[in-house]
Each structure stands twice: as C-alpha cells, then as structure tokens.
C-alpha cells in the first residue's frame, strides 16, 4: 500500500491537525500519517561518509534527545544502519574551513519504523538533526517524531547573529550558548563585534597593550578564540570577527595613541554614542600597525571574511587637524567621505593580502572599491539595493536590530529582498546574501542578553532560511513558543534569568505578583533609554526595565481575547491586574530597586479598572457618560507612554475596548 502524503500548502498550515513545531519552516514538507516512537532503543547508524564532526553532532543529538524527553538514551551508535532508528547518510566531507554557500541541503524521511537523514555534506546533516529534534513531541502514549518527508535548503546563504561584546563584556559561556542557539534555528554566521570605543576584547600577541589597556582585563585569550571557533565549526557556523576602524576605536587609541588623528589623553569610553577618537588615515604608521594586526587576526580567525566596521566616523578630528587637511589637499580628497574611502582602499589591500574578503557597514560603500567586498546594510534597505546595483554583495541588518525592541511579528516581516531590493534584477538579487540579527550591548549584560536575543531571533532565522511565502504570523508565534522552550536545553537563560532577576527584587517575598506586573511590561528601546538616563558602562542593569522581556506574550494573547470579545477571560485578566497592585505592597516596601515602579503598578491597576468598567457598560448595553469617556481616554493615552523606561503593553487593548463603547 502506498501512503499518500498530505501535502502541506502554506496557506493551510494553520488548519492542519498536527502541525510540527518546526522553525525555520522547511522548503518542502509533506506530513505523513503516523509517528516514530522515541524510547531507549533509539539508535543512530551512519552509512556513507563519517568524520569527527558528524560523530560529535550525533553525540550532542542523543544528549539533547535525552534531555528533551527525560529518557536516558544510551549513546551507542550502530555500525549497521539497517538496525538504526535514524540512519544518517552523508555523501562527502565538508570544506576544511566552512565556505559561504557551502551546501546545507538535506532530506529527512520519518516513518513509523525508521528515519533517514541524507545530505550531500555534513552541514546538511547538522541542519537535518536540528529538524528531527523539533519533530519530537510528547503524544498520548509516548514521545514520538511526526512522520514527514522533508526536502530542505536555505533561501539565503548568509544568516547571522551579530553580538557586541565591547560595550558590555560577554564571557565565553555566553558566546557559546548563543552559538548553540543559532545552530538550533539554522543560523550559520556568528559575527563577533570585538572592538569598540568601550573595550578591546581579543588578545593580541603583537600589540598586547590593546588588551592590557583597552579591556579592563575582560578579553578573550587566543586560546579561547580558537575554542569558540572550533565550537562554532562543530555546529556548522562560521565566525566572522569585526574590528571596527577607523571610528569607534577609542579602546585601541588608549593603548596606542600614535594611531589617533589628534594628540590627546585618551581613555576607554564609558558612555554610549559616537565619539571623536578616530584613527589617522594619513600616516603610514597606521597602515603598518593594521597590517601587522590584521595579519595576526587573519590567522586566528580562519573564516574567509573579515569585518572592518567602518560605521559612524564623525570626522571631527579629521576636520580639525592641520596635517590631515594638508594631506587631503595633496591627495585631492575633497571631504571626509573621500578620506574615509581612501582609508578603506588601503585597508582592503591589507585584508586581501592576508587572504580575506573585506566586509564593512554600509558607510564603506564606494564604487572605487573592488567588487569582492561585502556591505552590511544597517541604515536602511536602500544601501543594500544600491550595493547590489553597483555589483557588491550585501547583507541586511536594518530592521533586525534587537535593541529597537520590536516584537517578533515586526522583525519577522523584514525581508532582505523587499522594499528597495524588490526592484533588483535577478542577477542583482543574487548578490543579496542574506542578513544578520544585531545585538548591540549598550543595554544588555551577560545576565539578560539571552532574553533580548531569544526567542525573537528564531523568527528572523526563519525569514532567512524559509521560502519567502512563509509569513503566517499566528503560525510563527505558535511555533516560536515551542522552539523557545527547547532552547532552554542548550543552556540559554532567556527564561531562567527572568525569574532570577525578578527574585532579586522580591527579597524573599513571593515573586508571583511581580511577575504578573512584569509580564505585561516591555522595555523602552535604545533611543528612549539613552534619552531618559545618563548611562555609562558601569551603570548597573538591574532594574525592572532590564528584567522585563522585549515582547509581552501575555499582552499579545490578551489582545487576541479582546479581538474575539471573550468576555469571561478578559474579565479574569483585568481582575488579576486590578488587584495585583495591593499584592505588590510587601515587595515594594522591601526593595529600593522597585521604588520607581510603584506608580507603574498603580497605573496598571487603574488601566485594568477602566477595562472592567468598559466591560460593565458593554454587558449592560449602556453607553457611558461623555465625561467618563473623555476622562478615561486621556488617562489611557498617558498610560500608553513610556515611564521608568517601561511600557504597559495592554494599554492599546484597553483603548480598543473603550473605543468600542
Ligand atoms: C551601527 O549600528 N553603528 C553599525
């Protein structure tokens, strides 16, 4: 008997009885009847090419499966793949250094008896193993993987996460757990932002003062860098280092003031923003230094690409230094932009000499540069399209800035080939390599960074991997929650740190009422926070705004209740919020950290009270007095605004209730 696959049409995804919680959604998937039970007899067998990386992947896979199910599955792979529960068939070895565009495709067939994962290269096997883990769910009788037939490959070859480790230091453990998370959602480039005004984070043996004077002792040794690179390679992830020059370079200049455009007493920058210290593009010393430095780093980081930053050069020092103005006149460079382009051309030659392709933020775009550079677009999609038209490869990061605190639904809809890129020719579109999620570290520490990255990054990972037609937001959110839970098994702390940060405030009192409040708050974004407080690198990030999550799931679900006017549930939530303020009194009395939030809690209570009154009017079919209505509208408009750098996420839903009266 042949089994007729149930083809999954994207438009009907939401209607399927057993939709697998896959993220990113595969290029092609057919759901089959039945499930493959997962128990202690589970065995993996290899047929075809094998190497250390594949065996390590299998080992991690079994360990993860054991954690996910709680079943201790012994690790004893079978040489006889016919006996295996999951047969892995890889055709050939991968590249010695993972290449951009290296084949990541795979095929996964799961039936009630057996699963088979096949791929041309090891990367496809790595991706397919992650898919398999996502197929495993508890059922009525056992854990099982849904039966499917999947043929999968990425839409874009460059799918990255950028992490700033300069403004706030991120220890190796943070980096590793996030790389593990990247692998789970099939991202393949870790962009390591290693230097900025606020810190220089890698050991240089050639120029040791960089880490000695530029890092407060917080830097990665070369041994640690090699370890992280190996960790990423095991997971099919390239590591692209960024050393941001010629601006954003205070921390270098502290150590080697000879690099600066102007004489001065330099210090590691402690504040956020764009600063004056800039490397001197007119002196040969600068290029000799960078030649030696880039040569050293080119050996340490095996990836073919090398990011030189190039963003936000404010040019003040260039405009005010006599010798620089003279140099510009002699070299017929009419403005700072041309001087910056001159610098980039010199650096590009150095990067190329050391065997690398240069990458930079979109400010480096200049038609005089060779076409093999890569432009990372952050100021808008326009520069990505412009780069592609000029013959340059590019990546989209504009729209993927996690510190802008957009909900997953917004991030999810940002597409590298839309807006200005939509009108590109097919040839130009092929130059759009993909995108990178950006995690800048002004307002994150090792404690809360995971909660800013996850789970939202998984939604962007889907945008970059899956066919462009995959864009059902409800389906995305449903799957995102499950994926988010699974990330816990990798040691990510986006759930656990929320709890521990709230417990820090509660000082032994029950944390639940604080959680009720925090669950409906979200933080202001980078700009809003910078405008509100004078932050420095030493400002503790231990306030409620640092604990709350970038997107309120509770508020999102409440909005859905309001949309379908589920009155009993709406009333239950509103009652909880109204009464929560009283329950918070003991905690408020105990923790100085929460003093500023007393009013936020009162406001939530008042917002909920208004919602309940609105419900009463609706229930009684009465119109409220005009004065009441006007007063509540004013209150809600105010409640919608930022306070203590926080937003109350349910206010728009209450406004909707009131507007309907
Ligand atoms: C950037 O956000 N300055 C690249």
């Amino acid at each position: 008997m042949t089994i007729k696959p149930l083809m999954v049409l994207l438009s009907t995804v939401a209607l399927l009885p057993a939709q697998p919680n896959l993220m990113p959604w595969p290029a092609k998937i057919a759901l089959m009847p039945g499930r493959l039970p997962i128990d202690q007899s589970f065995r993996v067998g290899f047929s075809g090419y094998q190497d250390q990386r594949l065996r390590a992947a299998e080992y991690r896979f079994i360990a993860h499966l054991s954690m996910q199910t709680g079943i201790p599955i012994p690790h004893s792979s079978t040489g006889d793949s016919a006996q295996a529960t999951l047969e892995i068939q890889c055709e050939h070895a991968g590249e010695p250094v993972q290449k951009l565009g290296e084949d990541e495709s795979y095929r996964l067939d799961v039936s009630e008896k057996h699963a088979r994962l096949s791929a041309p290269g090891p990367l496809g096997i790595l991706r397919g193993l992650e898919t398999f883990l996502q197929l495993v769910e508890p059922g009525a009788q056992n854990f099982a993987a849904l039966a499917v037939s999947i043929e999968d490959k990425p839409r874009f070859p460059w799918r990255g996460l950028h992490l700033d480790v300069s403004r706030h230091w991120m220890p190796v453990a943070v980096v590793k757990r996030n790389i593990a998370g990247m692998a789970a959602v099939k991202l393949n480039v870790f962009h390591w932002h290693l230097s900025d005004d606020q810190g220089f984070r890698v050991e240089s043996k050639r120029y040791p003062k960089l880490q000695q004077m530029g890092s407060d002792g917080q830097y990665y040794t070369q041994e640690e860098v090699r370890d992280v690179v190996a960790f990423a390679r095991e997971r099919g992830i390239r590591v692209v280092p960024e050393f941001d020059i010629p601006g954003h370079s205070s921390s270098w200049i502290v150590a080697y003031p000879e690099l600066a455009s102007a004489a001065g007493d330099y210090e590691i920058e402690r504040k956020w923003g764009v600063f004056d210290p800039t490397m001197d593009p007119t002196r040969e010393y600068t290029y000799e230094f960078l030649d030696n430095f880039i040569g050293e780093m080119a050996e340490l980081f095996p990836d073919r690409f090398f990011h030189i930053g190039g963003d936000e050069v404010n040019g003040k020092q260039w405009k005010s230094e006599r010798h620089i103005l003279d140099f510009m006149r002699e070299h017929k460079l009419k403005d700072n932009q041309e001087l910056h382009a001159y610098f980039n051309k010199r650096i590009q030659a150095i990067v190329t000499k050391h065997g690398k392709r240069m990458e930079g933020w979109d400010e480096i775009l200049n038609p005089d540069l060779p076409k093999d550079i890569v432009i990372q677009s952050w100021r808008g999609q326009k520069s990505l399209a412009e780069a592609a038209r000029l013959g340059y490869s590019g990546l989209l990061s504009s729209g993927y800035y996690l510190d802008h605190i957009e909900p997953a639904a917004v991030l999810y809809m940002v597409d590298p080939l839309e807006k200005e890129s939509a009108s590109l020719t097919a040839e130009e579109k092929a130059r759009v390599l993909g995108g990178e999620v950006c995690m800048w570290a002004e307002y994150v520490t090792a404690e809360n960074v995971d909660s800013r990255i996850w789970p939202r990054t998984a939604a962007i990972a889907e945008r970059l991997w899956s066919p462009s037609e995959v864009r059902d937001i409800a389906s995305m959110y449903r799957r995102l929650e499950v994926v988010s839970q699974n990330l816990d098994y990798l040691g990510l702390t986006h759930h656990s740190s929320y709890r521990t940060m709230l417990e820090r405030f509660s000082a032994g009192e029950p944390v639940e009422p604080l959680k009720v409040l925090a669950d409906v708050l979200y933080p202001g974004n980078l700009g809003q926070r910078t405008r509100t407080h004078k932050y420095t690198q030493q400002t503790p990030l231990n306030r409620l705004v640092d604990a709350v999550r970038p997107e309120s799931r509770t508020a999102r679900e409440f909005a859905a209740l309001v949309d379908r006017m589920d009155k009993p549930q709406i009333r239950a939530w509103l009652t909880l919020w109204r009464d929560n303020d009283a329950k918070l009194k003991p905690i408020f009395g105990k923790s100085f950290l929460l003093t500023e939030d007393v009013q936020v809690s009162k406001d939530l209570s008042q917002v909920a009270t208004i919602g309940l009154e609105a419900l009463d009017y609706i229930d009684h079919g009465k119109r409220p007095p005009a004065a009441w209505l006007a007063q509540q509208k004013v209150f809600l408009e105010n409640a919608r605004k930022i306070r203590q750098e926080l937003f109350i996420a349910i206010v728009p839903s209450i406004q909707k209730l009131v507007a309907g009266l």
Side-chain angles (χ1 to χ4, degrees):
M1 187 187 83
T2 53
I3 298 164
K4 244 182 133 182
L6 174 57
M7 287 306 295
V8 179
L9 298 173
L10 293 159
S11 56
T12 62
V13 159
L15 305 175
L16 283 168
Q19 194 202 354
N21 291 305
L22 296 174
M23 184 168 270
W25 194 253
K28 277 195 200 152
I29 175 170
L31 288 182
M32 321 289 267
R35 294 148 52 96
L36 172 68
I38 309 289
D39 56 31
Q40 268 168 319
S41 69
F42 194 96
R43 294 290 176 279
V44 174
F46 283 100
S47 60
Y49 174 80
Q50 269 190 68
D51 61 15
Q52 180 279 333
R53 179 162 59 161
L54 286 171
R55 282 188 293 272
E58 180 224 347
Y59 200 92
R60 281 198 311 278
F61 169 82
I62 292 292
H64 196 288
L65 200 55
S66 291
M67 263 196 286
Q68 199 174 321
T69 57
I71 301 172
I73 300 171
H75 183 270
S76 60
S77 60
T78 165
D80 179 1
S81 58
Q83 296 293 315
T85 329
L86 171 63
E87 176 193 349
I88 295 179
Q89 210 248 327
C90 182
E91 280 171 29
H92 54 66
E95 299 286 345
V97 173
Q98 189 175 325
K99 276 198 176 136
L100 170 65
E102 187 174 339
D103 199 334
E104 297 176 272
S105 68
Y106 68 92
R107 185 182 170 103
L108 177 62
D109 293 288
V110 180
S111 71
E112 288 176 327
K113 293 265 158 37
H114 185 72
R116 187 168 187 279
L117 169 61
S118 59
L123 294 182
I125 299 297
L126 295 175
R127 306 298 175 242
L129 286 173
E130 298 295 346
T131 303
F132 188 95
L133 288 172
Q134 292 183 343
L135 287 170
V136 176
E137 292 177 358
Q141 273 119 36
N142 51 19
F143 282 99
L146 297 178
V148 286
S149 177
I150 288 173
E151 274 179 76
D152 203 7
K153 63 178 178 14
R155 179 174 168 218
F156 293 106
W158 190 309
R159 306 175 309 279
L161 171 67
H162 156 282
L163 181 65
D164 170 10
V165 298
S166 173
R167 294 185 174 86
H168 280 104
W169 167 240
M170 301 292 164
V172 168
V174 176
V175 170
K176 281 191 175 175
R177 69 191 189 220
N178 278 286
I179 289 175
M182 290 174 66
V185 295
K186 301 182 173 56
L187 291 173
N188 68 356
V189 182
F190 176 61
H191 172 169
W192 210 351
H193 185 84
L194 288 162
S195 75
D196 215 303
D197 295 299
Q198 295 84 356
F200 189 95
R201 304 297 184 197
V202 176
E203 174 190 27
S204 167
K205 296 192 195 287
R206 181 80 199 230
Y207 295 108
K209 283 195 282 179
L210 286 170
Q211 73 271 11
Q212 286 162 5
M213 299 179 70
S215 77
D216 303 306
Q218 294 180 314
Y219 63 91
Y220 309 103
T221 64
Q222 295 203 353
E223 212 38 56
E224 287 172 322
V225 168
R226 276 189 277 271
D227 181 42
V228 166
V229 168
F231 183 92
R233 174 173 170 79
E234 295 250 296
R235 287 154 182 78
I237 292 172
R238 300 166 38 216
V239 176
V240 175
E242 178 187 351
F243 295 96
D244 202 347
I245 54 174
H248 283 292
S249 57
S250 303
S251 62
W252 311 55
I253 288 173
V254 170
Y256 296 92
E258 313 87 289
L259 287 170
S261 294
D265 280 334
Y266 290 100
E267 289 180 358
I268 297 177
E269 189 52 67
R270 303 300 179 185
K271 300 194 286 298
W272 313 142
V274 176
F275 303 98
D276 299 347
T278 305
M279 289 185 183
D280 189 337
T282 72
R283 292 178 52 209
E284 286 311 303
Y285 172 83
T286 307
Y287 300 105
E288 282 161 26
F289 183 105
L290 290 171
D291 188 359
N292 292 331
F293 176 78
I294 290 171
E296 183 184 8
M297 292 301 130
E299 275 189 28
L300 185 58
F301 293 92
D303 198 76
R304 180 93 166 85
F305 291 81
F306 195 93
H307 202 303
I308 58 109
D311 56 321
E312 298 183 309
V313 179
N314 80 5
K316 280 194 194 159
Q317 292 193 331
W318 292 355
K319 271 191 211 141
S320 60
E321 285 299 307
R322 188 77 261 152
H323 76 281
I324 293 182
L325 294 169
D326 290 345
F327 181 92
M328 288 169 74
R329 216 171 10 256
E330 278 162 34
H331 288 77
K332 303 196 167 31
L333 302 168
K334 73 174 188 313
D335 54 22
N336 276 350
Q337 216 173 336
E338 291 196 358
L339 182 58
H340 189 192
Y342 167 88
F343 175 81
N344 289 334
K345 269 184 265 177
R346 300 280 311 259
I347 299 302
Q348 194 275 337
I350 292 170
V351 170
T352 302
K353 180 180 121 184
H354 293 294
K356 306 290 184 182
R357 284 179 65 179
M358 186 168 95
E359 190 191 348
W361 299 104
D362 57 26
E363 287 95 328
I364 74 162
L365 182 60
N366 182 294
D368 291 346
L369 280 168
K371 301 297 181 212
D372 78 333
I373 65 165
V374 174
I375 301 295
Q376 183 163 13
S377 160
W378 73 279
R379 293 180 301 179
Q381 212 147 347
K382 192 160 162 247
S383 61
L384 182 67
E386 200 181 325
R389 284 202 183 92
L390 288 169
Y392 296 101
S393 300
L395 300 174
L396 185 67
S397 279
S398 169
Y400 296 143
Y401 269 40
L402 297 173
D403 58 359
H404 291 192
I405 315 289
E406 297 287 2
V410 171
L411 297 167
Y412 186 56
M413 285 302 166
V414 176
D415 189 306
L417 291 178
E418 288 186 350
K419 291 196 181 161
E420 286 90 344
S421 309
S423 58
L424 295 174
T425 65
E427 192 187 354
E428 289 160 353
K429 278 185 178 163
R431 294 191 193 113
V432 175
L433 302 174
E436 280 189 4
V437 184
C438 284
M439 184 71 263
W440 296 100
E442 282 90 344
Y443 297 102
V444 288
T445 63
E447 184 175 38
N448 70 352
V449 65
D450 296 6
S451 78
R452 300 300 184 257
I453 299 176
W454 306 104
R456 293 181 301 159
T457 290
I460 305 171
E462 173 155 293
R463 176 61 48 240
L464 298 174
W465 174 283
S466 305
S468 60
E469 304 78 21
V470 177
R471 44 199 303 128
D472 180 324
I473 288 177
S475 160
M476 179 275 286
Y477 273 123
R478 197 167 48 244
R479 292 176 288 121
L480 189 67
E481 293 303 336
V482 179
V483 169
S484 182
Q485 282 165 23
N486 269 325
L487 292 171
D488 289 340
Y489 297 119
L490 301 172
L492 283 160
T493 63
H494 55 306
H495 292 126
S496 61
S497 74
Y498 182 55
R499 184 92 196 170
T500 49
M501 290 180 87
L502 293 184
E503 281 169 352
R504 179 184 287 144
F505 304 115
S506 69
E509 295 292 333
V511 78
E512 204 47 40
L514 189 56
K515 189 169 174 300
V516 168
L517 172 65
D519 276 354
V520 293
L521 301 176
Y522 65 91
N525 64 30
L526 170 85
Q528 289 159 335
R529 297 195 65 177
T530 302
R531 282 193 292 278
T532 315
H533 270 274
K534 294 248 175 295
Y535 279 96
T536 74
Q537 199 174 30
Q538 285 96 356
T539 307
L541 296 183
N542 61 357
R543 294 158 58 224
L544 195 54
V545 61
D546 303 302
V548 299
R549 293 172 290 200
E551 179 171 6
S552 165
R553 177 184 177 180
T554 307
R556 186 174 72 243
E557 291 175 357
F558 181 74
L561 295 177
V562 169
D563 282 344
R564 44 171 208 274
M565 270 316 263
D566 182 335
K567 286 192 273 185
Q569 289 234 48
I570 295 172
R571 190 175 289 281
W573 277 109
L574 291 173
T575 307
L576 177 74
W577 291 323
R578 183 195 60 195
D579 299 343
N580 192 59
D581 185 46
K583 295 186 198 140
L584 267 172
K585 288 262 151 50
I587 298 184
F588 281 150
K590 273 196 168 178
S591 179
F592 76 100
L593 287 167
L594 291 173
T595 308
E596 63 184 6
D597 302 307
V598 169
Q599 190 60 41
V600 182
S601 170
K602 278 203 184 106
D603 287 348
L604 174 65
S605 177
Q606 183 59 27
V607 167
T609 302
I610 296 169
L612 285 166
E613 286 169 10
L615 266 194
D616 287 342
Y617 284 117
I618 293 166
D619 277 350
H620 298 124
K622 283 209 314 216
R623 281 195 53 77
W628 181 90
L629 207 52
Q631 194 185 353
Q632 310 319 325
K633 282 186 176 169
V634 170
F635 182 87
L636 291 172
E637 208 42 51
N638 272 318
R640 199 175 168 138
K641 291 181 191 147
I642 193 166
R643 82 283 309 287
Q644 309 309 339
E645 302 174 59
L646 290 162
F647 288 97
I648 301 176
I650 59 156
V651 177
S653 291
I654 308 301
Q655 286 181 306
K656 211 172 201 176
L657 273 182
V658 170
L661 293 174

